[in-house]
Amino acid sequence: MASVIEFNLFAPRNKKAALIGSFSDWKEIPMQKGEDGYFRTEIEIEDGVYEYKFRVQSKSPNFQPDEWVDVVDPYATDVNDEKKVSITRVKDGQRIVDTYVWQHDDKLLPGNHELVIYEMHVADFTGGEVDPHKRGKYLDAIEKLDYLRELGINAIELMPVNEYPGDYSWGYTVRHFFATESSYGSTEDLKRFIDECHARGIRVFMDGIYNHTDGECPLMLIDRNYWYYEHMHYPEDQNNYWGPEFNYDNYDEKLDVKPAWKYVGDVVRYWVQEYHIDGIRFDAVRQLANFEFLDWLAQQSKKNTAPKPFYNIAEHIPDTSTVTAPEGPLDSCWHESFRYFMLPHICGETFELDHLKEVLDPKQQGYATAINVINYLATHDREHLFRELGDRGIFDEAAFVRAKLGAVLLMTAMGIPMLWMGEEFGEHKRKSQTVTQPKKIAWALLSRDENRDLFEYYKKLIALRKQIPALQSDNIEFFHENPEAKVLAYTRWNFQGSRVVVVVNFSDQNFPEYQIPNFPAAESWQDWLTETSVKVDENTLTTEIAPFTAKIFVSQ
């Protein structure tokens, strides 16, 4: 039996629009414009799957005045980008996204302070040199979730999964904001991936691109200057211009609406409600540069998620505490300065105590709590640590020693740790320069003893971080500093008695009997790695510290 289905298009400054689709043999169906700026039409169609698009008299300056153009629905939840059509599904007389039924919505998920994040690019996460299958899809990633659970990961940050042009890229030029990237699989596949993550206690964060769009985004074709800045938002920042930028300052007085606010707010609500995501990483916040809008958008993201935790993360480079709570609009910021200052120390190029301490203790940079920063040694935008080491002539055993040092610093610093996929076993491929060529991570490395040992080291460190409340706290104190020997010791604690001490040797010297005075008091101490008790005599611990290594002591 046929049902009446409404199609609508928000285009307040456009004169005329029509609907065309497979349900009408691609003949035009006129649409009526209302006072609210919407074109609407109703048609009778049976349950099924249909292709459609709008034909509209464009207001964009790159067309002739009122030129008729065909556009994909800006709110389409599925598209065929090759054919330039929207796809809609009708079931039981209603338009639906798909028929997926969530299985694990009642699963208890970790709080923000407990997180260990894994940044993932779906296409490059599976497959590779020794894999006969192309892979690189949501369902392939599901097969690796038990590996991530074994590692101890409890949050995945997905690089953009909105529909982008072509079949491979990093996804940062979004064309269709409500549709998922079809080369990774279907909408049901993505929901199944998120559901399977939740089943394992793993939260899923989405990379949200709300600064700019692809040049052929439907909004660009309908009425460019209604949704976007007419010119570059920051003309002095040409190196960081990636496409037409949403104009969050534009206000339509007649309709009492800020068009870009409305559209992106709808996008965020849709992803939270339809895909049950647990957080958003906001791309290019420095370029977006509108904290009023970000504060409103962050509030939209957290609606309808209670009692589940949600996490709003800024990519603001250079990082700044002004973007984070309690004064800023978002919960956290990618802590680029952690990597920037930590890398030269791990590589033995410098020893600057002030820089070390301010990134290990981001309160010195103005951040209020541990959840305000996301620490990392590598991201999709930065080379893997092993690549950085290799570029400096540090290879083989020496590289694995430095990698373990980096792992300790990452997991014991104040803040939330994040791994870029493959970092945990020593991936060393150079990052993609064009972002259009696949860079599968080399899973075959895990068959090598040194790489497997690094994986096991990360696994043990992550378990320590999750088990010891002190490492999730806002507290850190530097109680021993030795600039000549390049040794730094700090303690992490909470107010319930949990305490950890980290001693780091940033030099190329071995200290067989290094003395650490003023060692924090505890009933007893254990060397974390060897799981042996250590003795503190007259508040002094004497221990051996090898070059470019760290020791961890846990109170008993």
Side-chain angles (χ1 to χ4, degrees):
M1 187 176 76
S3 303
V4 176
I5 302 295
E6 180 182 278
F7 289 80
N8 59 62
L9 173 67
F10 184 65
R13 302 199 308 183
N14 301 70
K15 290 181 180 178
K16 293 182 180 180
L19 171 69
I20 55 176
S22 57
F23 38 69
S24 64
D25 294 325
W26 299 100
K27 294 174 183 174
E28 287 190 10
I29 300 171
M31 302 181 76
Q32 301 301 313
K33 188 176 183 180
E35 293 293 323
D36 57 0
Y38 279 89
F39 288 91
R40 294 182 175 85
T41 190
E42 292 182 341
I43 60 173
E44 286 194 5
I45 51 177
E46 306 279 349
D47 284 5
V49 180
Y50 301 93
E51 295 178 346
Y52 73 100
K53 55 186 173 180
F54 296 115
R55 185 163 288 161
V56 61
Q57 285 187 290
S58 176
K59 284 295 181 185
S60 292
N62 45 321
F63 296 105
Q64 294 297 318
D66 297 327
E67 179 180 343
W68 286 95
V69 298
D70 288 358
V71 298
V72 172
D73 186 350
Y75 282 77
T77 59
D78 199 358
V79 301
N80 183 324
D81 201 44
E82 280 189 20
K83 295 173 68 175
K84 307 295 184 191
V85 295
S86 325
I87 298 171
T88 191
R89 290 169 174 79
V90 178
K91 182 177 172 59
D92 298 328
Q94 302 291 327
R95 293 178 72 175
I96 64 167
V97 177
D98 52 50
T99 58
Y100 187 78
V101 178
W102 293 86
Q103 302 297 314
H104 303 288
D105 264 356
D106 58 346
K107 182 74 176 183
L108 186 65
L109 298 174
N112 292 341
H113 64 286
E114 302 173 273
L115 296 175
V116 180
I117 304 172
Y118 195 85
E119 191 190 15
M120 177 191 298
H121 183 259
V122 174
D124 287 344
F125 182 59
T126 58
E129 294 90 340
V130 298
D131 194 329
H133 306 287
K134 183 180 178 182
R135 298 192 182 271
K137 297 184 180 293
Y138 300 124
L139 297 183
D140 302 318
I142 290 174
E143 295 180 17
K144 290 284 189 184
L145 290 181
D146 287 337
Y147 161 85
L148 293 178
R149 179 167 59 178
E150 179 192 354
L151 178 59
I153 297 300
N154 57 17
I156 291 172
E157 186 175 298
L158 290 175
M159 287 174 67
V161 294
N162 304 100
E163 183 72 55
Y164 54 70
D167 279 346
Y168 182 91
S169 86
W170 280 359
Y172 287 99
T173 51
V174 179
R175 182 172 290 177
H176 305 290
F177 281 82
F178 289 80
T180 64
E181 174 49 37
S182 52
S183 66
Y184 299 162
S186 67
T187 57
E188 292 98 328
D189 294 342
L190 175 54
K191 289 178 180 179
R192 185 171 291 108
F193 171 82
I194 295 170
D195 213 7
E196 290 293 338
C197 285
H198 289 167
R200 293 163 175 81
I202 299 173
R203 290 170 62 182
V204 179
F205 305 149
M206 171 188 169
D207 209 330
I209 320 304
Y210 308 131
N211 174 65
H212 58 277
T213 75
D214 168 67
E216 293 186 35
C217 177
L219 300 178
M220 280 287 293
L221 307 180
I222 295 167
D223 189 351
R224 185 201 193 286
N225 295 341
Y226 190 67
W227 280 280
Y228 300 87
Y229 287 106
E230 185 173 355
H231 304 290
M232 193 183 301
H233 192 193
Y234 285 107
E236 69 278 7
D237 193 20
Q238 294 189 21
N239 290 334
N240 289 307
Y241 179 79
W242 302 288
E245 296 167 317
F246 280 120
N247 182 354
Y248 294 112
D249 298 317
N250 183 36
Y251 172 61
D252 184 333
E253 291 186 10
K254 182 181 177 183
L255 297 179
D256 187 26
V257 66
K258 293 180 176 179
W261 284 49
K262 177 188 184 304
Y263 183 74
V264 175
D266 289 346
V267 168
V268 166
R269 279 192 298 273
Y270 171 79
W271 278 88
V272 170
Q273 294 170 9
E274 188 69 30
Y275 286 95
H276 299 203
I277 59 171
D278 310 293
I280 298 173
R281 179 260 197 194
F282 292 77
D283 181 68
V285 164
R286 183 170 73 89
Q287 286 71 34
L288 192 154
N290 190 317
F291 280 15
E292 181 189 6
F293 166 69
L294 284 170
D295 183 63
W296 174 82
L297 195 59
Q299 293 177 38
Q300 300 305 303
S301 72
K302 293 183 178 182
K303 288 182 177 179
N304 303 314
T305 62
K308 292 184 177 181
F310 202 85
Y311 203 27
N312 285 315
I313 305 162
E315 185 229 19
H316 190 296
I317 295 177
D319 64 88
T320 173
S321 62
T322 60
V323 77
T324 64
E327 281 80 25
L330 304 179
D331 300 316
S332 187
C333 187
W334 267 25
H335 198 196
E336 176 70 9
S337 57
F338 180 90
R339 178 191 181 277
Y340 184 84
F341 288 118
M342 203 57 77
L343 194 62
H345 287 86
I346 295 169
C347 295
E349 297 174 336
T350 187
F351 186 73
E352 298 175 324
L353 268 172
D354 288 346
H355 286 156
L356 268 177
K357 291 192 293 184
E358 74 176 31
V359 294
L360 288 165
D361 177 14
K363 291 197 298 291
Q364 296 186 23
Q365 299 174 309
Y367 294 98
T369 70
I371 68 166
N372 285 160
V373 294
I374 308 290
N375 296 323
Y376 51 82
L377 298 171
T379 70
H380 69 272
D381 269 333
R382 305 288 180 248
E383 299 290 0
H384 278 291
L385 177 58
F386 267 74
R387 170 57 59 178
E388 298 282 5
L389 292 168
D391 286 348
R392 292 162 174 80
I394 302 170
F395 298 103
D396 303 322
E397 183 181 354
F400 283 95
V401 169
R402 309 291 180 103
K404 287 182 177 179
L405 171 60
V408 170
L409 294 164
L410 180 64
M411 293 299 162
T412 62
M414 177 181 156
I416 303 302
M418 183 178 77
L419 295 175
W420 169 227
M421 62 182 191
E423 190 74 8
E424 72 278 10
F425 58 73
E427 173 61 273
H428 56 269
K429 265 200 197 89
R430 192 174 294 281
K431 76 181 182 74
S432 174
Q433 299 301 308
T434 64
V435 309
T436 58
Q437 295 299 315
K439 285 278 185 176
K440 301 278 189 181
I441 59 173
W443 290 102
L445 289 173
L446 274 170
S447 64
R448 301 175 72 238
D449 290 344
E450 305 95 327
N451 298 79
R452 188 74 200 184
D453 179 62
L454 179 60
F455 168 86
E456 294 294 339
Y457 194 77
Y458 260 106
K459 176 180 169 181
K460 190 171 182 180
L461 268 173
I462 292 171
L464 176 75
R465 179 180 176 84
K466 291 163 69 176
Q467 292 163 7
I468 304 295
L471 293 176
Q472 301 170 14
S473 76
D474 301 333
N475 306 315
I476 184 169
E477 178 186 353
F478 304 100
F479 68 92
H480 177 75
E481 303 171 12
N482 187 338
E484 292 74 26
K486 299 182 180 177
V487 173
L488 174 67
Y490 53 92
T491 180
R492 302 289 314 280
W493 80 95
N494 73 356
F495 295 107
Q496 287 72 47
S498 174
R499 186 178 286 273
V500 172
V501 166
V502 183
V503 183
V504 191
N505 179 7
F506 288 100
S507 80
D508 58 3
Q509 303 297 309
N510 183 59
F511 300 109
E513 292 188 333
Y514 190 89
Q515 291 191 335
I516 307 164
N518 304 314
F519 204 83
E523 192 171 317
S524 64
W525 288 99
Q526 184 181 72
D527 184 313
W528 163 76
L529 187 60
T530 63
E531 297 182 355
T532 57
S533 296
V534 295
K535 190 174 181 182
V536 178
D537 285 326
E538 297 181 353
N539 298 327
T540 299
L541 176 73
T542 303
T543 187
E544 179 177 6
I545 316 178
F548 293 106
T549 64
K551 283 201 162 182
I552 300 174
F553 302 97
V554 180
S555 66
Q556 300 296 295

